[in-house]
Amino acid sequence: MKTIDELLTEGVDGKRVFVRADLNVPLADGVITDDGRIRAVLPTVKALAGAGAKVIVASHLGRPKGAPDPAFSLLPAAERLGELLGAPVAFAQDTVGPAAHAAVDGLEPGQVAVVENLRFNPGETSKDDAERGGFADALAALADVYVGDGFGAVHRKHASVYDLPARLPHYAGYLIATEVGVLRKLTEDVKRPYVVALGGAKVSDKLAVIDQLLGKADRLLIGGGMAYTFLKAQGHEIGTSLLQEDQIPAVREYLERAEKTGVELVLPVDTLVAPDFPDLKTKAPAHPTAVAADAIPADQEGLDIGPRTRELYASKLADAATVFWNGPMGVFEHPDFAEGTKAVAQALVDSDGFTVVGGGDSAAAVRTLGFDENAFGHISTGGGASLEYLEGKTLPGLAALED
């Protein structure tokens, strides 16, 4: 795929450049709580504006139902982008309508505009090729060139991600080029030992990537809510812990495969339990108890890996040459259940290997728990996209950028 460096060499002075970013930031009462995704697109926007382009930034935010919804407006993201750029950013209150055209027409070389949430138009996410194509045509009328830099959306076959690049000269932005380069290090000529730590709530979300990694990783460390389905598959009592019972046959098959192929699949040896799920708003003390992973009381819920497991996982990560981590080890949003996730993050910080945090809740946890982002080899902006790449899937947004 062509990159933004090639575009800059060709020249963009005075050209309208459409940047498909990922500004899907978390909001609380209209206030951005984590601006990591906005900061991730800054190098691309700054380079284009600095070269004299008229930059049109577009993104989705949340899951509005194909119509305008003030709760999902991109205005806070546009204002934050302006703060980070240190320059005014125009904001269009529609996506392809009169306001968008007026904002673009008003741009001088080197200036930036943000159009409203792409998902306010049903054509963005439509499964109908014609409807999606119609919206892509309307977006194409705003620009001369397309730059894809929204890595968190490249696994979606959406109009601005998949159809629009076919209608304009297209290039990969700095973020996508970086993300793809990192993922290649995790799939091609990997430095070993290669250790993967997987967490999060649902084992079903990770089955496909586990299937792929059983043939590639040296060790798999399992934590989070998904670990309890593994423990149940081994015949252990898990109390009221999260369970996907329908996934037990698949989990048992993976446990058997790991043993046969020599992949070290490591499960928690102890866990923190409490009688009820913690209150994440008040952060009221939950008074957890550490119990052996095979001795969870019937009336208790597992909510984090325990202290012995934290030490075990840190030791399994210590000699890794390559690490990929996706998914928290527990309910990290509550201080009583954050230590497992913190221990894994710290093990990555202490590692001499190439460490990758796979986006989503893992990236949020790194920031929430106060870690220096520069202490990791790479923090991805797209958890779902990263997982699908590692699963071996073709990502529509990356395929669309290929020549």
Side-chain angles (χ1 to χ4, degrees):
M1 63 180 71
K2 289 184 178 180
T3 67
I4 185 174
D5 284 331
E6 293 172 82
L7 172 60
L8 293 171
T9 299
E10 294 166 12
V12 293
D13 189 28
K15 289 185 179 179
R16 301 171 302 163
V17 181
F18 186 102
V19 177
R20 199 334 180 161
D22 179 8
L23 308 181
N24 186 28
V25 292
L27 296 169
D29 299 322
V31 177
I32 296 170
T33 58
D34 181 354
D35 67 357
R37 284 177 168 162
I38 302 175
R39 286 185 285 111
V41 79
L42 281 178
T44 290
V45 174
K46 283 182 175 179
L48 291 168
K54 300 176 180 181
V55 185
I56 306 127
V57 179
S59 175
H60 69 287
L61 191 152
R63 296 178 182 271
K65 304 193 182 296
D69 182 338
F72 297 105
S73 175
L74 275 177
L75 179 58
E79 291 174 341
R80 182 59 180 149
L81 178 62
E83 292 172 0
L84 293 168
L85 289 172
V89 168
F91 180 69
Q93 293 182 324
D94 59 29
T95 305
V96 292
H101 281 273
V104 173
D105 290 344
L107 290 176
E108 296 294 332
Q111 293 184 336
V112 180
V114 174
V115 297
E116 187 53 285
N117 193 334
L118 292 161
R119 291 185 182 174
F120 284 180
N121 189 302
E124 169 67 1
T125 59
S126 177
K127 296 188 184 305
D128 181 83
D129 292 348
E131 184 177 19
R132 230 178 35 251
F135 184 49
D137 288 338
L139 290 171
L142 294 171
D144 306 305
V145 181
Y146 177 92
V147 172
D149 216 29
F151 180 74
V154 293
H155 57 315
R156 307 295 187 192
K157 193 176 181 180
H158 291 171
S160 65
V161 176
Y162 178 74
D163 302 272
L164 182 55
R167 290 157 167 78
L168 294 170
H170 47 270
Y171 303 80
Y174 288 127
L175 175 61
I176 279 187
T178 298
E179 295 272 15
V180 171
V182 166
L183 288 168
R184 284 178 177 156
K185 288 185 179 181
L186 298 177
T187 53
E188 303 170 14
D189 194 26
V190 181
K191 292 184 178 178
R192 298 184 180 279
Y194 178 21
V195 184
V196 177
L198 295 176
K202 294 181 179 180
V203 69
S204 57
D205 292 342
K206 305 290 197 303
L207 283 180
V209 76
I210 292 172
D211 183 61
Q212 286 292 316
L213 290 170
L214 280 174
K216 294 173 182 173
D218 299 298
R219 290 181 207 130
L220 288 175
L221 314 181
I222 306 295
M226 63 185 284
Y228 300 102
T229 299
F230 277 85
L231 294 171
K232 186 71 172 180
Q234 291 184 323
H236 301 312
E237 169 65 54
I238 63 166
T240 60
S241 306
L242 189 64
L243 171 66
Q244 287 189 284
E245 198 157 4
D246 60 323
Q247 303 298 330
I248 287 178
V251 166
R252 282 183 179 144
E253 194 265 325
Y254 289 155
L255 288 166
E256 291 170 3
R257 267 179 59 194
E259 189 172 356
K260 288 177 182 176
T261 57
V263 174
E264 195 178 353
L265 199 157
V266 189
L267 297 177
V269 294
D270 64 344
T271 185
L272 293 186
V273 300
D276 300 297
F277 195 85
D279 190 321
L280 300 183
K281 288 188 177 179
T282 66
K283 304 289 197 297
H287 306 295
T289 304
V291 300
D294 60 357
I296 298 174
D299 63 346
Q300 300 281 307
E301 180 177 4
L303 296 162
D304 192 15
I305 57 174
R308 288 194 296 128
T309 304
R310 296 198 294 265
E311 291 181 10
L312 173 65
Y313 284 12
S315 71
K316 296 294 183 182
L317 289 161
D319 68 343
T322 305
V323 181
F324 176 72
W325 169 37
N326 181 280
M329 296 290 108
V331 186
F332 73 91
E333 299 92 341
H334 191 286
D336 287 348
F337 305 103
E339 291 303 315
T341 301
K342 192 181 294 184
V344 168
Q346 187 62 52
L348 266 67
V349 170
D350 295 340
S351 172
D352 292 327
F354 178 61
T355 57
V356 179
V357 180
D361 285 341
S362 311
V366 163
R367 298 183 183 108
T368 299
L369 297 174
F371 285 91
D372 179 359
E373 294 179 45
N374 295 320
F376 302 88
H378 179 70
I379 298 178
S380 178
T381 57
S386 295
L387 286 176
E388 290 198 14
Y389 189 101
L390 293 180
E391 289 167 19
K393 291 184 178 179
T394 297
L395 306 189
L398 297 184
L401 293 175
E402 298 287 351
D403 292 317

